Amino acid sequence: MSFQFSNRVPKSDSDPVGDILKVAGSPDIISFAGGLPAPELFPVEALKQAADKVFDKNGRSALQYASAIGNPDLRNQITQRMNRQGINCDVDNIMITTGSQQSIDLTAKMFVNPGDTVIVEKPTYLCALDVFKSYGAHIVGVEMDDDGMKMADLQQAVADNPNTKFIYTIPNFQNPTGRTMTAERRQQMVEIANKADIMIMEDDPYGAIRFAGDDIEPVKYYDTEDRVIYLSTFSKILAPGLRLGWMVMNKDLMPKYSLMKQSADVHSDNLTQYIVAQFMADNDIDDHISKIRNVYRQREKVMMAAIEKSFPAGVHYSHPQGGLFIWVEVPGDIDTIELFKTCVGHNVAFVPGEPFYPDKVTPGTFRLNFSNMSEDQIKVGIKRLGDAIKETIGVGQRAKVTEQS
Amino acid sequence: MSFQFSNRVPKSDSDPVGDILKVAGSPDIISFAGGLPAPELFPVEALKQAADKVFDKNGRSALQYASAIGNPDLRNQITQRMNRQGINCDVDNIMITTGSQQSIDLTAKMFVNPGDTVIVEKPTYLCALDVFKSYGAHIVGVEMDDDGMKMADLQQAVADNPNTKFIYTIPNFQNPTGRTMTAERRQQMVEIANKADIMIMEDDPYGAIRFAGDDIEPVKYYDTEDRVIYLSTFSKILAPGLRLGWMVMNKDLMPKYSLMKQSADVHSDNLTQYIVAQFMADNDIDDHISKIRNVYRQREKVMMAAIEKSFPAGVHYSHPQGGLFIWVEVPGDIDTIELFKTCVGHNVAFVPGEPFYPDKVTPGTFRLNFSNMSEDQIKVGIKRLGDAIKETIGVGQRAKVTEQS
């Protein structure tokens, strides 16, 4: 039979990032490709105890259909966490989702008509780009520097695109760059959104995993007109397999999100919501998060030292204060998909920059993850990567590098 | 701020069904409204044991990110179940979803451009209608009789709508009517779809819960050209809170569904997938299902006897051989939303017919659920409902009824 797909579906079946992750998953390869948290830190025993309690105390309720907006205990605990992080909200602003990915999907479905503009950081989270494309968005990328999105460029993008629905930003330890937006720019972003009467989708999966520098208030903290939708998730602070995230939003939006959520999957896994609520009641999740922070701090430090030692001069890289990622920029007109292939020959992997760009790709870029490999693997892997970069520059790009340096 | 929603979003915030279920949820009311399975049948202890094993043996894997298409063990077990039910498939045809609701949503997103036609039974599952509307579908309802969708009408609907993308059908113990499509019509439906080169979405949440009559092969069994997408779920045979469903589809569709699923929620809850796979490895789920069947058979019998005793003459109702629902048709031009209000005064509830219709509503219709109330509650509740119907017909409709009888 011949399938007639909707316009939302990509023409090609190719999944370059999936293919990269498949290659990177081979046991011989030291992979800095995925965005996987360190599984040895998952609180398996504490979650087991929480699950046992739920089955004993609330088994039948946890296994039954439940409310679309989520478990009230879990929403209460999230409200308290949000308040401690400077977000002024109550439980009626909180909705549970099947991970932040669903929060992004529901928000795009809710606001984006084909042709509407969504403004994003350039580069940005590749699966957010996939979602925006699937709803027919016109995606406009705004350049970043080490302080996050450039505000003059954002201003211009908003002015150039009067049909903008929202700005999508990852202010903390951005994926893929690891960069953090300054407090000043967060405030400016809200001012720009207020003036243009557009929304902001603040995606903050990594904010709690800060291992250096001082906390910065979320964009939502500066939100004077309740137009920022704040997203976060248990994926990086507890376990991604649970697929539980949450949104903080204007109360007026809750009825429509609730209907949309019912259409999407009725509600998120109720058993897991009960388990996480029980885990948070019985454990100090901040204690657990500080363990994650300590391990990631150390891994980032080891990766940074290895990069300094192994990468050739002229290669730039970000210095994240948290999160999971370092962004690398190799000088010259390097195709990092080719570099990836060379690296696989050296048994090391990363994600090339290309899929993170909404439009024009900056060549020579790629993303490194430091959360999922041991310190020893990081040392060996970065050495291999350095060798591969030298080989690539040496073979194809020596002249250009010399010109530039 | 002013929110500019996409065209997919209903203009009104009203959620009449949600409001009905809220009223029906009051502790004084005997509710035949929701579609909730009997929670006293949930295998809480066996699921707890399965969960403990998963935490002990596979905790870290179960809590980590996983494949979009689902856990391989669970997909294998589903494949075997499907084969036993007459569906010729292997594991590469199976994808796990966050409940059948997500299977419906992904399929509509995959195939329906605004203006494309989706053909449905009239009446049909109301949350499927919501999904189809959200993607801009032109929904065409086909009349049913006690043998399911009328094939001549289906033929006509397909001929009248050359832009039809698929037929959506619930062949077993349909929601809301409880009716079952005959084997002959299932085969005819496939022939009609083959001829017109359109797809069939076969939604089968209740098929395993047959308590009378003989099993009928699924529509997918008659599928000669691999154009039927078959959906089912653990909601009615295990527990709906887990939000786990599956799809059986043409292998060629798997790469696109996998990408779409990644965009929607990356993957379904991995911990719960592990738990259900472990439960199925350690327990005979068919044993469990036969317990459900026995209880529902008895409840349906009690409800049927109570209806015969309490409802006034001239009221028609379906005689389901399985599932959760009975469909009632009161003669005359009764507004069952008004009848619902009268019933709430009598402390009994149902879902009025209106939201199940894609277009013109058949007045006097409503849905009764028999799975979620005890036999005693069923006896008392149906008596109250009979009184409310008599009151309504007696007060407003006596003349009409007399004319018709």
Side-chain angles (χ1 to χ4, degrees):
Chain A
M1 89 151 285
S2 65
F3 295 108
Q4 306 293 327
F5 298 103
S6 77
N7 300 333
R8 301 173 200 98
V9 178
K11 296 285 167 274
S12 157
D13 273 1
S14 83
D15 175 14
V17 179
D19 295 343
I20 283 163
L21 294 178
K22 218 169 278 170
V23 172
S26 143
D28 294 337
I29 288 186
I30 294 178
S31 173
F32 307 127
L36 275 61
E40 61 273 28
L41 298 175
F42 295 154
V44 177
E45 193 51 39
L47 283 168
K48 181 187 171 189
Q49 283 170 22
D52 281 350
K53 267 200 198 176
V54 168
F55 281 115
D56 290 345
K57 287 196 314 181
N58 298 304
R60 295 189 198 290
S61 310
L63 293 168
Q64 187 57 288
Y65 281 117
S67 143
I69 57 175
N71 176 286
D73 287 345
L74 186 60
R75 290 167 63 226
N76 268 319
Q77 279 158 327
I78 289 169
T79 305
Q80 290 164 31
R81 248 193 106 62
M82 292 291 88
N83 292 343
R84 285 198 298 276
Q85 285 171 27
I87 293 179
N88 177 17
C89 64
D90 65 39
V91 70
D92 296 332
N93 300 101
I94 308 285
M95 178 165 146
I96 306 293
T97 60
T98 309
S100 276
Q101 187 66 38
Q102 186 181 54
S103 308
I104 297 169
D105 186 70
L106 291 178
T107 301
K109 188 174 182 188
M110 186 77 84
F111 293 104
V112 178
N113 279 322
D116 284 349
T117 296
V118 172
I119 296 177
V120 302
E121 286 143 358
K122 193 160 91 181
T124 191
Y125 175 47
L126 56 98
C127 293
L129 293 176
D130 288 343
V131 170
F132 301 150
K133 280 178 206 159
S134 80
Y135 292 107
H138 170 235
I139 305 173
V140 173
V142 171
E143 296 279 354
M144 309 173 76
D145 58 24
D146 285 342
D147 291 338
M149 212 184 250
K150 293 181 182 174
M151 287 299 121
D153 290 19
L154 173 61
Q155 187 94 326
Q156 191 59 50
V158 169
D160 290 347
N161 295 281
N163 65 345
T164 297
K165 280 299 178 72
F166 54 80
I167 304 163
Y168 172 73
T169 179
I170 309 167
N172 293 314
F173 329 124
Q174 198 240 15
N175 182 1
T177 65
R179 290 167 182 151
T180 295
M181 204 193 306
T182 60
E184 198 190 351
R185 288 199 187 170
R186 293 177 193 216
Q187 198 165 355
Q188 286 171 349
M189 181 180 275
V190 169
E191 284 160 13
I192 290 169
N194 282 349
K195 219 164 166 182
D197 195 20
I198 58 182
M199 300 175 68
I200 297 173
M201 181 172 9
E202 177 179 21
D203 187 8
D204 188 26
Y206 317 112
I209 316 287
R210 174 180 279 280
F211 47 68
D214 296 326
D215 278 336
I216 302 176
E217 315 284 2
V219 178
K220 180 81 185 151
Y221 170 83
Y222 298 101
D223 182 14
T224 48
E225 300 180 1
D226 215 354
R227 65 174 68 246
V228 178
I229 296 183
Y230 174 95
L231 325 180
S232 194
T233 169
F234 288 104
S235 291
K236 307 307 184 293
I237 60 174
L238 193 59
L242 304 175
R243 310 303 312 123
L244 281 184
W246 67 89
M247 308 178 70
V248 188
M249 69 178 84
N250 190 311
K251 273 177 204 176
D252 294 347
L253 292 173
M254 288 286 281
K256 285 203 199 296
Y257 267 94
S258 174
L259 287 172
M260 194 73 97
K261 170 78 176 155
Q262 281 174 52
S263 273
D265 60 6
V266 189
H267 57 77
S268 298
D269 187 331
N270 196 31
L271 174 65
T272 303
Q273 291 186 64
Y274 267 89
I275 293 173
V276 173
Q278 187 68 53
F279 171 88
M280 287 178 83
D282 294 345
N283 301 271
D284 183 351
I285 195 171
D286 284 320
D287 257 10
H288 173 66
I289 295 171
S290 76
K291 280 179 206 149
I292 299 173
R293 266 199 219 109
N294 290 340
V295 171
Y296 290 9
R297 177 187 296 116
Q298 192 54 29
R299 288 183 182 178
E300 192 268 354
K301 206 170 135 185
V302 169
M303 187 174 274
M304 221 29 110
I307 286 175
E308 278 160 27
K309 202 167 132 186
S310 307
F311 281 15
V315 176
H316 293 281
Y317 40 91
S318 60
H319 293 76
Q321 298 192 310
L324 284 74
F325 303 114
I326 294 172
W327 185 244
V328 183
E329 297 172 88
V330 181
D333 198 22
I334 301 280
D335 177 348
T336 51
I337 294 175
E338 287 305 312
L339 177 62
F340 173 81
K341 290 176 192 162
T342 308
C343 280
V344 169
H346 288 258
N347 283 328
V348 65
F350 56 77
V351 180
E354 183 170 322
F356 299 102
Y357 285 91
D359 36 46
K360 201 176 150 285
V361 179
T362 304
T365 55
F366 61 88
R367 187 190 78 177
L368 291 175
N369 165 271
F370 52 80
S371 60
N372 191 244
M373 291 281 137
S374 72
E375 295 178 26
D376 284 346
Q377 287 169 313
I378 291 173
K379 284 177 198 163
V380 176
I382 293 295
K383 169 83 172 61
R384 290 178 187 169
L385 182 51
D387 291 345
I389 296 174
K390 284 173 193 160
E391 193 180 308
T392 302
I393 295 183
V395 172
Q397 304 291 332
R398 186 180 298 277
K400 263 198 178 158
V401 172
T402 314
E403 270 166 37
Q404 289 190 348
S405 56
Chain B
M1 88 151 286
S2 64
F3 296 109
Q4 305 294 327
F5 297 103
S6 77
N7 300 334
R8 299 174 202 99
V9 178
K11 296 286 169 272
S12 155
D13 272 0
S14 83
D15 176 15
V17 180
D19 295 343
I20 282 164
L21 295 178
K22 220 171 277 171
V23 172
S26 143
D28 294 337
I29 287 186
I30 295 180
S31 174
F32 307 126
L36 276 62
E40 62 273 27
L41 298 176
F42 295 155
V44 177
E45 193 52 39
L47 283 167
K48 181 187 171 189
Q49 282 171 23
D52 281 351
K53 265 199 199 176
V54 168
F55 281 116
D56 290 344
K57 286 195 315 181
N58 298 305
R60 296 190 197 289
S61 309
L63 294 167
Q64 187 58 285
Y65 281 118
S67 142
I69 57 174
N71 176 286
D73 286 344
L74 187 59
R75 290 168 61 226
N76 267 317
Q77 278 157 328
I78 289 169
T79 305
Q80 290 164 30
R81 249 192 105 61
M82 292 292 88
N83 291 343
R84 284 197 299 276
Q85 285 171 26
I87 293 179
N88 177 18
C89 64
D90 64 39
V91 70
D92 295 332
N93 300 101
I94 308 284
M95 178 164 145
I96 306 293
T97 60
T98 309
S100 275
Q101 188 66 39
Q102 185 181 53
S103 308
I104 297 169
D105 185 70
L106 292 177
T107 301
K109 187 173 183 190
M110 187 76 85
F111 294 104
V112 178
N113 279 321
D116 284 349
T117 295
V118 171
I119 296 177
V120 303
E121 284 143 359
K122 192 160 92 179
T124 192
Y125 175 47
L126 57 97
C127 293
L129 293 176
D130 288 343
V131 170
F132 301 150
K133 280 178 205 156
S134 80
Y135 293 107
H138 169 236
I139 304 174
V140 173
V142 171
E143 295 281 352
M144 307 173 78
D145 58 23
D146 285 342
D147 291 338
M149 213 183 249
K150 293 181 182 172
M151 287 300 121
D153 291 19
L154 173 61
Q155 187 93 6
Q156 192 60 49
V158 169
D160 290 347
N161 295 280
N163 65 345
T164 298
K165 281 300 179 69
F166 55 79
I167 304 162
Y168 171 74
T169 180
I170 309 168
N172 292 314
F173 328 124
Q174 200 240 12
N175 183 359
T177 65
R179 290 167 183 152
T180 295
M181 204 193 307
T182 59
E184 198 189 350
R185 288 199 187 170
R186 293 177 194 216
Q187 197 166 355
Q188 286 171 349
M189 181 180 274
V190 169
E191 283 161 14
I192 290 169
N194 282 348
K195 219 163 165 183
D197 195 20
I198 57 182
M199 298 174 69
I200 296 172
M201 180 171 12
E202 178 180 21
D203 188 7
D204 188 26
Y206 317 112
I209 317 287
R210 175 181 278 280
F211 46 69
D214 296 325
D215 278 336
I216 301 176
E217 315 285 2
V219 179
K220 180 82 184 151
Y221 170 83
Y222 298 100
D223 182 15
T224 48
E225 299 181 0
D226 216 353
R227 65 175 68 247
V228 178
I229 297 183
Y230 174 95
L231 326 180
S232 193
T233 168
F234 288 103
S235 290
K236 307 308 183 293
I237 60 173
L238 192 60
L242 304 175
R243 310 304 313 123
L244 282 183
W246 68 87
M247 308 178 70
V248 187
M249 68 177 85
N250 189 312
K251 273 178 203 173
D252 294 348
L253 292 173
M254 288 287 280
K256 287 205 199 295
Y257 267 94
S258 174
L259 287 171
M260 194 73 97
K261 170 78 175 153
Q262 282 174 51
S263 274
D265 60 5
V266 188
H267 57 77
S268 298
D269 188 330
N270 196 32
L271 174 64
T272 302
Q273 291 186 63
Y274 267 88
I275 293 172
V276 173
Q278 186 69 52
F279 171 88
M280 288 178 84
D282 294 345
N283 301 271
D284 183 351
I285 195 171
D286 284 319
D287 257 10
H288 173 65
I289 294 170
S290 77
K291 282 179 206 150
I292 298 174
R293 266 198 220 109
N294 290 339
V295 171
Y296 290 9
R297 177 187 297 117
Q298 193 53 30
R299 289 185 182 178
E300 193 267 352
K301 206 170 134 185
V302 170
M303 186 172 276
M304 220 29 108
I307 286 176
E308 278 161 27
K309 203 167 131 187
S310 307
F311 281 15
V315 176
H316 292 281
Y317 38 91
S318 60
H319 294 74
Q321 299 193 308
L324 285 72
F325 304 115
I326 294 172
W327 185 243
V328 182
E329 297 172 88
V330 181
D333 199 22
I334 301 280
D335 178 349
T336 52
I337 295 176
E338 287 306 312
L339 177 62
F340 173 81
K341 291 175 192 161
T342 307
C343 280
V344 169
H346 288 259
N347 283 328
V348 65
F350 56 75
V351 180
E354 184 170 321
F356 298 104
Y357 285 90
D359 37 46
K360 200 176 151 287
V361 179
T362 303
T365 55
F366 61 88
R367 188 190 76 178
L368 291 175
N369 165 270
F370 53 81
S371 59
N372 192 244
M373 291 282 136
S374 72
E375 294 178 27
D376 284 346
Q377 286 168 313
I378 291 172
K379 285 177 198 161
V380 176
I382 293 295
K383 169 82 175 60
R384 291 178 187 168
L385 183 51
D387 291 345
I389 295 173
K390 285 173 194 159
E391 192 180 311
T392 301
I393 295 183
V395 171
Q397 303 291 329
R398 187 180 298 273
K400 262 197 176 155
V401 171
T402 313
E403 270 166 36
Q404 289 191 350
S405 55

